[in-house]
Amino acid sequence: MDSEEAHQWLVIDGYEDEPAAFGVPPYVGFHVRYLCGVLEEQNIPYQFITIDQLRRLKEKDAQEMNALLSSSKGIAMIAGAVVPGKYLRGTPISLKEVNDFIHQAPTEIPMLFGGWAIRGWRHQGWQPLRKNLFLCVQDTDATLHHFLNAGEWKQQRRTSEQWTTWAQLGATSKAVTNHPDLGTPEQPGPLTYEVEVYQGCVRYKHGCKFCIEPKKGVPIWRHPDDIIREVKLAHNQGVQHVRLGGMTDTYTYMAEGVVELEYPIPNPEPISKLLYGLREDERLNILHTDNANPSIIAEHLEPSEEITKTLVNTLSDGAVLSFGLESADPNVHELNWLNCDSKQLKSAISLINKYGKERGQRGLPKLLPGLNFIAGLNGEKRESYELNLNLLREIRNEGHWLRRINIRQVEGAGFQTVDKDDFTDFKSNVRRNFDEPLLKELFPIGQILRDVHWESHDGRTRLPIHEAMEHRDQACHGKAGVTFGRQIGAYPILIGVEYKIPLETSSDILVTSHGQRSITGVEIGLDVYSVTEKQLEAIPGIGKKSAWKLVSERAKLLSKKQEIVAENWFKSAKIDWNTRFSTFFE
Ligand code: SF4
């Protein structure tokens, strides 16, 4: 620990994760960037660290981690997931870890914890006692700003000027430049910059009963120029991929009649200005968005059609608009003031499918709807699940595609108990009868998927060991093992390959088979001179024996200094050549 570090604030990214705010790597969330923006504005030295980096530091040298905590001038952290789920690339901070930090850091060090998990844990009765610890339930950045200026803790909200300032300073802050997923110009990482477009929901007067968004009041928008400027600053730091976050509904960004109308009228102009404006910068690679309100789309088909065309033209393929139906049961709909009914949903799904089914450059449908169901809402019965299934059948019978059917359960005060058996039956029915067939249609065998980013070996979760050279070096390519990866963007499909590929690299694959919620593939364009036995074995139609024969035949041909041409090579190894094989070789 050098003396400079001892006078720094420590910003910990405990990762936020909400439907409208992604922040688990490869995403970098906006709230942690705003915190850094506050420190940047005041020229206060600070260090940025992710919770995964901190865990690794603890594993390597617990004393060093303690020294880092205890020598900091102050600690500010965002904790975003009340119950951290399963993630491939990073795990949000847990309540236990937060409690450990509270006990480890000396009491004279001010600590500020914010984010949705802090609110959630407090709601569940968590009341840590420690001098100089402040649990923020409003804007963590504005609260830090107030503390730094007034020397006292007080819940604060940011002004719109502060929003712009901290968003722009956050774009060039250490939350971006020191983020482990940024990579280098030579080997860019998968970092995806979640940018906040607006706050709140147009249903703020009478919103879905289970949702926190209406509590934020009338939505507040950021202007397209403000967002474009922020993203440009992020590009200057090497950021390539962006997701538009903070949008409860992409179609009501700057909509007309938000205060007066139950269904505000979508305004195609500002979203078009934002999306085309972002695309003008050639450094932007993947651009995705999230969430749409099907009732707004269905009630205003004309402007929604225009917005859909803009989305298809500007977003990267594989984009998903999550639709919150929650339940197809009219009774549940009414009791919980839900957002849309089945008729509105089908109309919105049909519009998105009309334009979004076409495949884009990476081999993915350009824009598809996702569908969210919630179990545990008041009024729910066994028949509610049957109504959900009937609706899914109707959607499929009409030939529509859904990229993601998300089923979650809500528990606690204000919700009703879920019948475990009914819920499990419903879930497995959806996975078996809808997810699996959809997966086969969306990612058919033989489909080429481009730019798959490889993330872990021999298991679906990326582990600290995967940072070692043996997992990243070209020398491991084609060796025995399994590699998992995903394309960059929102809700990517998990892809497994039955041999090792150097991690943190990208390549193109051809789909060879389907799992329940993942696919298997083999890279295309393999080099006939270096393709390994394991790689050959992974190609459908070439078994273990043939792969071995091919490798020994190649050795013979090379010893005779003969050129290797795939078809001839197969023939001389006495293996039937199939024209399908040619895609796999350069
Ligand atoms: S539509 Fe309902 S669930 Fe969606 S953000 Fe608004 S209130 Fe929440």
Side-chain angles (χ1 to χ4, degrees):
M1 182 79 28
D2 60 34
S3 58
E4 199 194 322
E5 280 179 352
H7 294 99
Q8 294 186 352
W9 269 75
L10 180 66
V11 177
I12 304 173
D13 186 358
Y15 308 147
E16 61 188 327
D17 184 29
E18 291 172 53
F22 283 10
V24 182
Y27 290 86
V28 57
F30 40 81
H31 287 123
V32 76
R33 297 197 308 265
Y34 299 168
L35 267 184
C36 294
V38 169
L39 295 165
E40 293 274 348
E41 187 188 27
Q42 310 216 4
N43 279 321
I44 292 174
Y46 66 98
Q47 199 177 350
F48 168 84
I49 192 162
T50 68
I51 179 60
D52 281 309
Q53 288 176 313
L54 206 55
R55 285 180 190 123
R56 260 160 248 170
L57 186 62
K58 188 180 171 187
E59 265 168 37
K60 211 174 90 199
D61 189 343
Q63 273 185 343
E64 204 182 320
M65 190 204 75
N66 283 336
L68 177 68
L69 293 178
S70 56
S71 64
S72 299
K73 206 172 170 193
I75 299 173
M77 186 192 67
I78 296 289
V82 178
V83 184
K86 275 191 187 165
Y87 300 85
L88 199 135
R89 215 181 156 84
T91 308
I93 194 164
S94 67
L95 181 57
K96 185 186 173 304
E97 286 173 316
V98 173
N99 279 326
D100 288 350
F101 290 151
I102 291 173
H103 290 120
Q104 277 156 2
T107 47
E108 61 277 10
I109 296 174
M111 280 180 139
L112 170 65
F113 293 170
W116 279 109
I118 299 299
R119 294 175 213 214
W121 293 330
R122 269 183 54 143
H123 191 65
Q124 292 167 2
W126 179 58
Q127 275 182 323
L129 288 175
R130 180 202 186 265
K131 212 177 106 204
N132 242 338
L133 165 70
F134 194 72
L135 304 180
C136 182
V137 292
Q138 292 192 352
D139 293 334
T140 320
D141 37 79
T143 303
L144 175 63
H145 177 261
H146 181 80
F147 175 78
L148 295 172
N149 289 290
E152 57 155 8
W153 290 119
K154 200 172 169 198
Q155 305 286 355
Q156 293 286 300
R157 288 234 177 269
R158 67 181 86 89
T159 63
S160 55
E161 291 74 30
Q162 287 172 329
W163 198 2
T164 299
T165 306
W166 298 334
Q168 299 198 347
L169 288 168
T172 56
S173 73
K174 290 178 179 171
V176 175
T177 56
N178 288 11
H179 197 286
D181 279 346
L182 181 64
T184 60
E186 299 72 41
Q187 193 175 5
L191 187 76
T192 308
Y193 188 94
E194 179 87 350
V195 65
E196 192 173 26
V197 178
Y198 72 85
Q199 279 181 8
C201 170
V202 294
R203 302 190 74 229
Y204 69 98
K205 284 187 218 153
H206 201 59
C208 311
K209 270 194 180 168
F210 63 88
C211 181
I212 48 166
E213 291 296 331
K215 294 192 180 76
K216 296 181 184 169
V218 186
I220 29 177
W221 327 110
R222 289 181 69 196
H223 195 274
D225 292 338
D226 183 19
I227 301 164
I228 294 166
R229 167 98 189 111
E230 180 193 333
V231 173
K232 270 198 186 305
L233 291 168
H235 285 320
N236 293 347
Q237 312 310 314
V239 166
Q240 293 190 357
H241 314 300
V242 173
R243 193 188 89 126
L244 303 179
M247 287 209 278
T248 49
D249 173 20
T250 305
Y251 288 73
T252 39
Y253 172 53
M254 291 185 144
E256 290 162 26
V258 167
V259 178
E260 311 81 38
L261 302 173
E262 187 186 349
Y263 296 109
I265 308 162
N267 183 355
E269 203 250 311
I271 187 82
S272 161
K273 189 168 180 208
L274 173 61
L275 289 164
Y276 282 105
L278 289 168
R279 271 290 170 219
E280 261 174 34
D281 195 317
E282 287 179 358
R283 294 171 297 178
L284 175 63
N285 186 346
I286 301 302
L287 176 63
H288 275 174
T289 184
D290 195 20
N291 294 320
N293 182 335
S295 63
I296 298 276
I297 296 175
E299 295 304 315
H300 301 291
L301 279 172
E302 216 175 289
S304 297
E305 184 157 11
E306 208 174 314
I307 292 178
T308 307
K309 286 187 202 164
T310 302
L311 295 175
V312 168
N313 284 339
T314 53
L315 296 177
S316 306
D317 59 356
V320 178
L321 285 170
S322 296
F323 285 166
L325 171 77
E326 328 306 0
S327 174
D329 185 338
N331 187 38
V332 178
H333 175 92
E334 207 178 307
L335 280 175
N336 297 278
W337 307 341
L338 296 182
N339 148 48
C340 86
D341 60 31
S342 302
K343 194 165 161 253
Q344 290 169 325
L345 178 84
K346 284 204 291 181
S347 160
I349 286 181
S350 150
L351 176 71
I352 308 303
N353 268 261
K354 179 176 166 192
Y355 292 98
K357 260 183 160 180
E358 188 195 334
R359 286 184 196 274
Q361 281 175 358
R362 296 188 301 164
L364 299 167
K366 285 189 172 171
L367 176 73
L368 289 182
L371 187 52
N372 299 337
F373 287 109
I374 296 185
L377 295 174
N378 289 322
E380 185 182 283
K381 297 195 192 94
R382 174 172 291 168
E383 297 80 65
S384 313
Y385 294 122
E386 203 38 57
L387 289 167
N388 291 346
L389 292 169
N390 284 343
L391 175 67
L392 283 172
R393 279 180 210 115
E394 285 170 30
I395 293 168
R396 292 293 290 135
N397 287 343
E398 285 170 30
H400 295 317
W401 281 351
L402 295 168
R403 167 61 193 98
R404 179 176 175 267
I405 304 171
N406 183 37
I407 305 169
R408 73 183 173 104
Q409 188 184 337
V410 284
E411 287 172 296
F415 302 111
Q416 70 174 51
T417 319
V418 170
D419 183 297
K420 254 193 167 168
D421 291 341
D422 290 349
F423 180 61
T424 314
D425 282 354
F426 171 61
K427 251 183 130 168
S428 49
N429 200 327
V430 171
R431 300 292 169 242
R432 201 176 47 246
N433 296 319
F434 299 97
D435 274 343
E436 278 186 41
L438 271 164
L439 199 71
K440 287 178 182 157
E441 277 183 55
L442 264 54
F443 307 97
I445 288 180
Q447 177 68 45
I448 291 171
L449 300 179
R450 306 222 176 255
D451 303 330
V452 182
H453 186 83
W454 302 108
E455 297 181 89
S456 67
H457 279 153
D458 301 329
R460 292 164 177 229
T461 311
R462 186 168 177 263
L463 304 169
I465 194 176
H466 292 144
E467 285 180 15
M469 267 328 269
E470 60 182 287
H471 291 277
R472 294 181 169 215
D473 201 88
Q474 279 301 326
C476 77
H477 202 174
K479 289 201 171 151
V482 181
T483 308
F484 289 98
R486 299 172 294 180
Q487 287 167 299
I488 288 168
Y491 311 116
I493 186 79
L494 182 67
I495 300 166
V497 168
E498 285 165 338
Y499 54 85
K500 281 195 173 146
I501 303 174
L503 300 184
E504 303 309 319
T505 64
S506 299
S507 50
D508 303 338
I509 62 117
L510 183 137
V511 179
T512 55
S513 66
H514 301 94
Q516 215 182 20
R517 300 192 88 185
S518 61
I519 54 176
T520 305
V522 179
E523 287 168 291
I524 57 168
L526 296 168
D527 181 354
V528 284
Y529 285 91
S530 60
V531 61
T532 66
E533 198 178 326
K534 286 285 162 204
Q535 286 171 308
L536 289 165
E537 217 179 297
I539 297 173
I542 304 178
K544 204 174 166 59
K545 232 164 121 187
S546 305
W548 184 82
K549 272 197 202 165
L550 280 164
V551 170
S552 22
E553 184 61 24
R554 181 177 59 193
K556 278 187 219 154
L557 293 171
L558 287 177
S559 70
K560 290 185 212 153
K561 303 221 173 335
Q562 288 195 14
E563 193 192 354
I564 311 282
V565 177
E567 195 173 341
N568 298 344
W569 171 31
F570 274 61
K571 276 182 189 152
S572 55
K574 300 198 171 40
I575 301 202
D576 289 340
W577 173 254
N578 187 322
T579 45
R580 275 189 300 112
F581 294 152
S582 53
T583 321
F584 295 101
F585 302 110
E586 264 174 0

